[in-house]
Amino acid sequence: MALALPVVLVGAALWPWVLVSMVEPDAGLTVAEAAASGPTLRLLGWLALPLLPALLGFQAMCWWVFRGRTDGRAPVYW
């Protein structure tokens, strides 16, 4: 909470600006200008969809391979 709250508060204070210009008062980048377009988001969604099962499978494999490695027999370096 202590790390996330300042980020949320600064973002709320600057809304709707994402990037504020210190040189010109009304220049900068708004949320609407910074957002990706619909076709771009659809393309990224279709590209990420096949990767999700691979990432979840790799995570499950890592958990399976390293299960039980933190018992009392494991060396602890202080």
Side-chain angles (χ1 to χ4, degrees):
M1 275 305 271
L3 294 175
L5 188 61
V7 175
V8 171
L9 290 176
V10 169
L14 293 177
W15 182 264
W17 299 99
V18 176
L19 184 64
V20 180
S21 173
M22 300 302 256
V23 179
E24 298 179 32
D26 287 333
L29 190 64
T30 64
V31 174
E33 293 168 345
S37 66
T40 302
L41 292 176
R42 277 192 294 280
L43 176 65
L44 289 175
W46 283 111
L47 291 175
L49 191 63
L51 295 177
L52 188 60
L55 292 173
L56 292 175
F58 183 74
Q59 184 67 46
M61 183 199 69
C62 287
W63 283 342
W64 179 259
V65 167
F66 292 106
R67 71 189 185 285
R69 300 284 175 126
T70 57
D71 58 4
R73 296 176 295 153
V76 176
Y77 303 103
W78 295 98

